[in-house]
mmCIF file of all heavy atoms in Angstrom:
data_model
loop_
_atom_site.group_PDB
_atom_site.id
_atom_site.type_symbol
_atom_site.label_atom_id
_atom_site.label_comp_id
_atom_site.label_asym_id
_atom_site.label_seq_id
_atom_site.Cartn_x
_atom_site.Cartn_y
_atom_site.Cartn_z
ATOM 1 N N GLU F 53 2.933 10.950 -49.238
ATOM 2 C CA GLU F 53 2.441 11.390 -50.559
ATOM 3 C C GLU F 53 2.655 10.308 -51.606
ATOM 4 O O GLU F 53 1.789 10.040 -52.446
ATOM 5 C CB GLU F 53 3.159 12.676 -50.988
ATOM 6 C CG GLU F 53 2.491 13.928 -50.467
ATOM 7 C CD GLU F 53 2.872 15.171 -51.247
ATOM 8 O OE1 GLU F 53 3.487 15.052 -52.311
ATOM 9 O OE2 GLU F 53 2.537 16.257 -50.759
ATOM 10 N N TYR F 56 0.143 7.276 -50.669
ATOM 11 C CA TYR F 56 -1.307 7.441 -50.789
ATOM 12 C C TYR F 56 -1.714 8.294 -51.991
ATOM 13 O O TYR F 56 -2.894 8.445 -52.267
ATOM 14 C CB TYR F 56 -1.864 8.068 -49.498
ATOM 15 C CG TYR F 56 -1.527 7.280 -48.262
ATOM 16 C CD1 TYR F 56 -0.684 7.808 -47.273
ATOM 17 C CD2 TYR F 56 -2.029 5.997 -48.075
ATOM 18 C CE1 TYR F 56 -0.371 7.074 -46.142
ATOM 19 C CE2 TYR F 56 -1.710 5.257 -46.951
ATOM 20 C CZ TYR F 56 -0.883 5.804 -45.984
ATOM 21 O OH TYR F 56 -0.567 5.083 -44.858
ATOM 22 N N ASN F 57 -0.722 8.868 -52.687
ATOM 23 C CA ASN F 57 -0.965 9.690 -53.862
ATOM 24 C C ASN F 57 -1.919 10.850 -53.565
ATOM 25 O O ASN F 57 -2.892 11.085 -54.291
ATOM 26 C CB ASN F 57 -1.530 8.805 -54.985
ATOM 27 C CG ASN F 57 -1.312 9.453 -56.328
ATOM 28 O OD1 ASN F 57 -0.391 10.257 -56.512
ATOM 29 N ND2 ASN F 57 -2.175 9.132 -57.286
ATOM 30 N N GLN F 58 -1.656 11.512 -52.435
ATOM 31 C CA GLN F 58 -2.419 12.694 -52.067
ATOM 32 C C GLN F 58 -1.421 13.755 -51.605
ATOM 33 O O GLN F 58 -0.282 13.437 -51.280
ATOM 34 C CB GLN F 58 -3.412 12.395 -50.943
ATOM 35 C CG GLN F 58 -4.482 11.388 -51.322
ATOM 36 C CD GLN F 58 -5.590 11.319 -50.273
ATOM 37 O OE1 GLN F 58 -5.884 12.302 -49.595
ATOM 38 N NE2 GLN F 58 -6.218 10.157 -50.165
ATOM 39 N N SER F 59 -1.871 14.987 -51.537
ATOM 40 C CA SER F 59 -1.012 16.071 -51.049
ATOM 41 C C SER F 59 -1.132 16.188 -49.545
ATOM 42 O O SER F 59 -2.239 16.255 -49.010
ATOM 43 C CB SER F 59 -1.438 17.407 -51.673
ATOM 44 O OG SER F 59 -1.056 17.462 -53.017
ATOM 45 N N PHE F 60 0.033 16.223 -48.875
ATOM 46 C CA PHE F 60 0.053 16.397 -47.416
ATOM 47 C C PHE F 60 1.079 17.466 -47.078
ATOM 48 O O PHE F 60 2.215 17.404 -47.548
ATOM 49 C CB PHE F 60 0.452 15.099 -46.705
ATOM 50 C CG PHE F 60 -0.448 13.940 -47.014
ATOM 51 C CD1 PHE F 60 0.023 12.865 -47.762
ATOM 52 C CD2 PHE F 60 -1.762 13.928 -46.570
ATOM 53 C CE1 PHE F 60 -0.803 11.795 -48.037
ATOM 54 C CE2 PHE F 60 -2.592 12.853 -46.858
ATOM 55 C CZ PHE F 60 -2.122 11.795 -47.594
ATOM 56 N N PHE F 61 0.691 18.455 -46.296
ATOM 57 C CA PHE F 61 1.658 19.453 -45.881
ATOM 58 C C PHE F 61 1.159 20.170 -44.631
ATOM 59 O O PHE F 61 0.004 20.048 -44.221
ATOM 60 C CB PHE F 61 1.968 20.469 -46.993
ATOM 61 C CG PHE F 61 0.759 21.173 -47.540
ATOM 62 C CD1 PHE F 61 0.275 22.347 -46.958
ATOM 63 C CD2 PHE F 61 0.087 20.662 -48.635
ATOM 64 C CE1 PHE F 61 -0.832 22.993 -47.458
ATOM 65 C CE2 PHE F 61 -1.032 21.303 -49.149
ATOM 66 C CZ PHE F 61 -1.491 22.468 -48.557
ATOM 67 N N GLU F 79 -8.418 27.805 -47.901
ATOM 68 C CA GLU F 79 -9.120 27.569 -49.167
ATOM 69 C C GLU F 79 -8.346 28.177 -50.325
ATOM 70 O O GLU F 79 -8.092 27.524 -51.351
ATOM 71 C CB GLU F 79 -10.532 28.175 -49.067
ATOM 72 C CG GLU F 79 -11.383 27.979 -50.308
ATOM 73 C CD GLU F 79 -11.851 26.541 -50.498
ATOM 74 O OE1 GLU F 79 -12.284 25.910 -49.503
ATOM 75 O OE2 GLU F 79 -11.737 26.042 -51.619
ATOM 76 N N TYR F 82 -4.775 26.385 -50.785
ATOM 77 C CA TYR F 82 -4.791 25.045 -51.394
ATOM 78 C C TYR F 82 -5.238 25.111 -52.854
ATOM 79 O O TYR F 82 -4.654 24.482 -53.739
ATOM 80 C CB TYR F 82 -5.725 24.111 -50.596
ATOM 81 C CG TYR F 82 -5.511 22.641 -50.919
ATOM 82 C CD1 TYR F 82 -4.716 21.842 -50.100
ATOM 83 C CD2 TYR F 82 -6.100 22.058 -52.053
ATOM 84 C CE1 TYR F 82 -4.496 20.501 -50.391
ATOM 85 C CE2 TYR F 82 -5.878 20.720 -52.342
ATOM 86 C CZ TYR F 82 -5.085 19.939 -51.522
ATOM 87 O OH TYR F 82 -4.856 18.616 -51.822
ATOM 88 N N THR F 83 -6.286 25.927 -53.082
ATOM 89 C CA THR F 83 -6.849 26.005 -54.434
ATOM 90 C C THR F 83 -5.835 26.579 -55.423
ATOM 91 O O THR F 83 -5.707 26.106 -56.560
ATOM 92 C CB THR F 83 -8.129 26.873 -54.421
ATOM 93 O OG1 THR F 83 -8.963 26.418 -53.360
ATOM 94 C CG2 THR F 83 -8.878 26.746 -55.734
ATOM 95 N N ASN F 84 -5.141 27.635 -54.972
ATOM 96 C CA ASN F 84 -4.233 28.323 -55.899
ATOM 97 C C ASN F 84 -2.861 27.663 -55.954
ATOM 98 O O ASN F 84 -2.057 27.959 -56.841
ATOM 99 C CB ASN F 84 -4.069 29.793 -55.476
ATOM 100 C CG ASN F 84 -5.392 30.528 -55.558
ATOM 101 O OD1 ASN F 84 -6.246 30.222 -56.408
ATOM 102 N ND2 ASN F 84 -5.611 31.486 -54.661
ATOM 103 N N GLY F 85 -2.571 26.785 -55.004
ATOM 104 C CA GLY F 85 -1.274 26.102 -55.005
ATOM 105 C C GLY F 85 -1.296 24.939 -55.968
ATOM 106 O O GLY F 85 -2.349 24.490 -56.421
ATOM 107 N N ASN F 86 -0.151 24.438 -56.245
ATOM 108 C CA ASN F 86 -0.029 23.341 -57.211
ATOM 109 C C ASN F 86 -0.189 22.003 -56.492
ATOM 110 O O ASN F 86 0.729 21.186 -56.448
ATOM 111 C CB ASN F 86 1.361 23.454 -57.874
ATOM 112 C CG ASN F 86 1.424 22.594 -59.122
ATOM 113 O OD1 ASN F 86 0.390 22.208 -59.689
ATOM 114 N ND2 ASN F 86 2.638 22.280 -59.553
ATOM 115 N N TYR F 87 -1.409 21.768 -55.941
ATOM 116 C CA TYR F 87 -1.610 20.567 -55.129
ATOM 117 C C TYR F 87 -2.569 19.615 -55.815
ATOM 118 O O TYR F 87 -3.317 20.001 -56.734
ATOM 119 C CB TYR F 87 -2.162 20.941 -53.748
ATOM 120 C CG TYR F 87 -1.229 21.847 -52.972
ATOM 121 C CD1 TYR F 87 -1.583 23.177 -52.699
ATOM 122 C CD2 TYR F 87 0.025 21.402 -52.563
ATOM 123 C CE1 TYR F 87 -0.714 24.012 -52.012
ATOM 124 C CE2 TYR F 87 0.889 22.240 -51.885
ATOM 125 C CZ TYR F 87 0.523 23.546 -51.600
ATOM 126 O OH TYR F 87 1.375 24.377 -50.940
ATOM 127 N N LEU F 88 -2.540 18.362 -55.366
ATOM 128 C CA LEU F 88 -3.376 17.330 -55.963
ATOM 129 C C LEU F 88 -4.847 17.559 -55.596
ATOM 130 O O LEU F 88 -5.162 18.257 -54.626
ATOM 131 C CB LEU F 88 -2.936 15.941 -55.482
ATOM 132 C CG LEU F 88 -1.504 15.541 -55.848
ATOM 133 C CD1 LEU F 88 -1.129 14.230 -55.167
ATOM 134 C CD2 LEU F 88 -1.350 15.412 -57.371
ATOM 135 N N MET F 89 -5.712 16.902 -56.355
ATOM 136 C CA MET F 89 -7.146 17.024 -56.111
ATOM 137 C C MET F 89 -7.524 16.449 -54.744
ATOM 138 O O MET F 89 -8.496 16.869 -54.131
ATOM 139 C CB MET F 89 -7.868 16.244 -57.215
ATOM 140 C CG MET F 89 -9.313 16.603 -57.387
ATOM 141 S SD MET F 89 -10.043 15.799 -58.810
ATOM 142 C CE MET F 89 -10.102 14.104 -58.271
ATOM 143 N N ASN F 90 -6.766 15.460 -54.305
ATOM 144 C CA ASN F 90 -7.018 14.814 -52.996
ATOM 145 C C ASN F 90 -5.883 15.160 -52.037
ATOM 146 O O ASN F 90 -4.707 15.110 -52.422
ATOM 147 C CB ASN F 90 -7.082 13.287 -53.135
ATOM 148 C CG ASN F 90 -8.056 12.852 -54.199
ATOM 149 O OD1 ASN F 90 -9.201 13.291 -54.206
ATOM 150 N ND2 ASN F 90 -7.577 12.026 -55.131
ATOM 151 N N GLY F 91 -6.227 15.491 -50.821
ATOM 152 C CA GLY F 91 -5.150 15.800 -49.870
ATOM 153 C C GLY F 91 -5.660 16.264 -48.519
ATOM 154 O O GLY F 91 -6.869 16.495 -48.328
ATOM 155 N N VAL F 92 -4.764 16.394 -47.574
ATOM 156 C CA VAL F 92 -5.071 16.892 -46.227
ATOM 157 C C VAL F 92 -3.957 17.844 -45.830
ATOM 158 O O VAL F 92 -2.767 17.512 -45.969
ATOM 159 C CB VAL F 92 -5.151 15.743 -45.184
ATOM 160 C CG1 VAL F 92 -5.484 16.304 -43.810
ATOM 161 C CG2 VAL F 92 -6.149 14.694 -45.605
ATOM 162 N N ALA F 93 -4.308 19.002 -45.309
ATOM 163 C CA ALA F 93 -3.298 19.990 -44.915
ATOM 164 C C ALA F 93 -3.636 20.541 -43.540
ATOM 165 O O ALA F 93 -4.806 20.678 -43.191
ATOM 166 C CB ALA F 93 -3.240 21.112 -45.928
ATOM 167 N N TYR F 106 -7.536 21.148 -43.306
ATOM 168 C CA TYR F 106 -8.201 21.290 -44.608
ATOM 169 C C TYR F 106 -8.129 19.951 -45.324
ATOM 170 O O TYR F 106 -7.062 19.363 -45.451
ATOM 171 C CB TYR F 106 -7.510 22.385 -45.420
ATOM 172 C CG TYR F 106 -8.141 22.632 -46.745
ATOM 173 C CD1 TYR F 106 -9.153 23.587 -46.894
ATOM 174 C CD2 TYR F 106 -7.739 21.916 -47.880
ATOM 175 C CE1 TYR F 106 -9.743 23.829 -48.123
ATOM 176 C CE2 TYR F 106 -8.323 22.145 -49.106
ATOM 177 C CZ TYR F 106 -9.322 23.101 -49.235
ATOM 178 O OH TYR F 106 -9.916 23.331 -50.461
ATOM 179 N N THR F 107 -9.280 19.482 -45.787
ATOM 180 C CA THR F 107 -9.300 18.207 -46.518
ATOM 181 C C THR F 107 -9.843 18.434 -47.909
ATOM 182 O O THR F 107 -10.758 19.251 -48.124
ATOM 183 C CB THR F 107 -10.174 17.161 -45.809
ATOM 184 O OG1 THR F 107 -11.495 17.706 -45.636
ATOM 185 C CG2 THR F 107 -9.598 16.787 -44.465
ATOM 186 N N ALA F 108 -9.293 17.717 -48.860
ATOM 187 C CA ALA F 108 -9.726 17.847 -50.246
ATOM 188 C C ALA F 108 -9.952 16.465 -50.842
ATOM 189 O O ALA F 108 -9.149 15.543 -50.629
ATOM 190 C CB ALA F 108 -8.664 18.591 -51.063
ATOM 191 N N GLY F 109 -11.044 16.330 -51.590
ATOM 192 C CA GLY F 109 -11.318 15.092 -52.308
ATOM 193 C C GLY F 109 -11.380 13.891 -51.387
ATOM 194 O O GLY F 109 -12.075 13.888 -50.364
ATOM 195 N N MET F 110 -10.613 12.847 -51.745
ATOM 196 C CA MET F 110 -10.615 11.608 -50.971
ATOM 197 C C MET F 110 -10.072 11.835 -49.545
ATOM 198 O O MET F 110 -10.339 11.049 -48.649
ATOM 199 C CB MET F 110 -9.759 10.528 -51.671
ATOM 200 C CG MET F 110 -10.194 10.236 -53.096
ATOM 201 S SD MET F 110 -11.891 9.609 -53.174
ATOM 202 C CE MET F 110 -11.641 7.907 -52.838
ATOM 203 N N GLY F 111 -9.314 12.891 -49.391
ATOM 204 C CA GLY F 111 -8.790 13.218 -48.059
ATOM 205 C C GLY F 111 -9.901 13.423 -47.048
ATOM 206 O O GLY F 111 -9.761 13.084 -45.865
ATOM 207 N N SER F 112 -11.057 13.952 -47.509
ATOM 208 C CA SER F 112 -12.165 14.197 -46.582
ATOM 209 C C SER F 112 -12.894 12.910 -46.230
ATOM 210 O O SER F 112 -13.698 12.890 -45.297
ATOM 211 C CB SER F 112 -13.148 15.202 -47.198
ATOM 212 O OG SER F 112 -13.681 14.673 -48.388
ATOM 213 N N TYR F 113 -12.647 11.835 -46.961
ATOM 214 C CA TYR F 113 -13.215 10.537 -46.599
ATOM 215 C C TYR F 113 -12.325 9.839 -45.569
ATOM 216 O O TYR F 113 -12.801 9.200 -44.649
ATOM 217 C CB TYR F 113 -13.374 9.641 -47.832
ATOM 218 C CG TYR F 113 -14.588 9.998 -48.631
ATOM 219 C CD1 TYR F 113 -14.540 11.012 -49.591
ATOM 220 C CD2 TYR F 113 -15.809 9.357 -48.421
ATOM 221 C CE1 TYR F 113 -15.650 11.367 -50.311
ATOM 222 C CE2 TYR F 113 -16.932 9.710 -49.138
ATOM 223 C CZ TYR F 113 -16.848 10.713 -50.091
ATOM 224 O OH TYR F 113 -17.965 11.074 -50.811
ATOM 225 N N ALA F 114 -11.029 9.966 -45.775
ATOM 226 C CA ALA F 114 -10.097 9.343 -44.818
ATOM 227 C C ALA F 114 -10.111 10.086 -43.481
ATOM 228 O O ALA F 114 -10.161 9.474 -42.411
ATOM 229 C CB ALA F 114 -8.676 9.344 -45.394
ATOM 230 N N MET F 151 -4.962 7.516 -42.837
ATOM 231 C CA MET F 151 -4.838 7.255 -44.278
ATOM 232 C C MET F 151 -4.663 5.771 -44.535
ATOM 233 O O MET F 151 -5.259 5.203 -45.463
ATOM 234 C CB MET F 151 -3.644 8.030 -44.859
ATOM 235 C CG MET F 151 -3.761 9.546 -44.870
ATOM 236 S SD MET F 151 -5.248 10.220 -45.653
ATOM 237 C CE MET F 151 -5.146 9.519 -47.272
ATOM 238 N N TYR F 154 -7.942 3.956 -44.096
ATOM 239 C CA TYR F 154 -8.869 4.212 -45.208
ATOM 240 C C TYR F 154 -8.444 3.439 -46.443
ATOM 241 O O TYR F 154 -9.286 2.891 -47.175
ATOM 242 C CB TYR F 154 -8.929 5.713 -45.500
ATOM 243 C CG TYR F 154 -9.813 6.067 -46.665
ATOM 244 C CD1 TYR F 154 -11.194 5.859 -46.606
ATOM 245 C CD2 TYR F 154 -9.284 6.588 -47.858
ATOM 246 C CE1 TYR F 154 -12.013 6.166 -47.674
ATOM 247 C CE2 TYR F 154 -10.100 6.899 -48.921
ATOM 248 C CZ TYR F 154 -11.459 6.690 -48.822
ATOM 249 O OH TYR F 154 -12.271 7.000 -49.897
ATOM 250 N N GLY F 246 -17.018 18.273 -48.265
ATOM 251 C CA GLY F 246 -17.352 18.267 -49.698
ATOM 252 C C GLY F 246 -16.710 17.080 -50.371
ATOM 253 O O GLY F 246 -16.054 16.264 -49.748
ATOM 254 N N PHE F 247 -16.893 16.989 -51.722
ATOM 255 C CA PHE F 247 -16.289 15.900 -52.475
ATOM 256 C C PHE F 247 -15.930 16.412 -53.858
ATOM 257 O O PHE F 247 -16.696 17.101 -54.500
ATOM 258 C CB PHE F 247 -17.288 14.739 -52.593
ATOM 259 C CG PHE F 247 -16.805 13.678 -53.540
ATOM 260 C CD1 PHE F 247 -15.686 12.916 -53.243
ATOM 261 C CD2 PHE F 247 -17.449 13.486 -54.753
ATOM 262 C CE1 PHE F 247 -15.250 11.954 -54.142
ATOM 263 C CE2 PHE F 247 -16.993 12.526 -55.651
ATOM 264 C CZ PHE F 247 -15.900 11.749 -55.343
ATOM 265 N N GLY F 248 -14.752 16.034 -54.349
ATOM 266 C CA GLY F 248 -14.336 16.423 -55.687
ATOM 267 C C GLY F 248 -13.837 17.854 -55.727
ATOM 268 O O GLY F 248 -14.466 18.754 -55.149
ATOM 269 N N GLY F 249 -12.739 18.065 -56.404
ATOM 270 C CA GLY F 249 -12.160 19.402 -56.504
ATOM 271 C C GLY F 249 -11.740 19.877 -55.133
ATOM 272 O O GLY F 249 -11.405 19.074 -54.273
ATOM 273 N N GLY F 250 -11.736 21.130 -54.925
ATOM 274 C CA GLY F 250 -11.349 21.625 -53.605
ATOM 275 C C GLY F 250 -12.521 21.489 -52.653
ATOM 276 O O GLY F 250 -13.677 21.592 -53.039
ATOM 277 N N SER F 251 -12.241 21.238 -51.445
ATOM 278 C CA SER F 251 -13.306 21.170 -50.446
ATOM 279 C C SER F 251 -12.691 21.404 -49.084
ATOM 280 O O SER F 251 -11.486 21.396 -48.932
ATOM 281 C CB SER F 251 -14.016 19.811 -50.481
ATOM 282 O OG SER F 251 -13.080 18.822 -50.106
ATOM 283 N N SER F 252 -13.488 21.656 -48.134
ATOM 284 C CA SER F 252 -12.960 21.831 -46.778
ATOM 285 C C SER F 252 -13.688 20.876 -45.860
ATOM 286 O O SER F 252 -14.697 20.291 -46.227
ATOM 287 C CB SER F 252 -13.161 23.269 -46.317
ATOM 288 O OG SER F 252 -14.538 23.559 -46.291
ATOM 289 N N GLY F 253 -13.203 20.686 -44.728
ATOM 290 C CA GLY F 253 -13.848 19.796 -43.766
ATOM 291 C C GLY F 253 -14.675 20.590 -42.790
ATOM 292 O O GLY F 253 -15.443 21.471 -43.154
#
Side-chain angles (χ1 to χ4, degrees):
Chain F
E53 273 200 11
Y56 304 114
N57 201 26
Q58 297 191 30
S59 287
F60 302 112
F61 56 88
E79 181 72 44
Y82 196 98
T83 311
N84 297 328
N86 195 19
Y87 300 112
L88 298 173
M89 198 173 70
N90 307 309
V92 181
Y106 182 91
T107 56
M110 304 299 277
S112 61
Y113 281 85
M151 293 307 303
Y154 178 66
F247 171 67
S251 65
S252 61

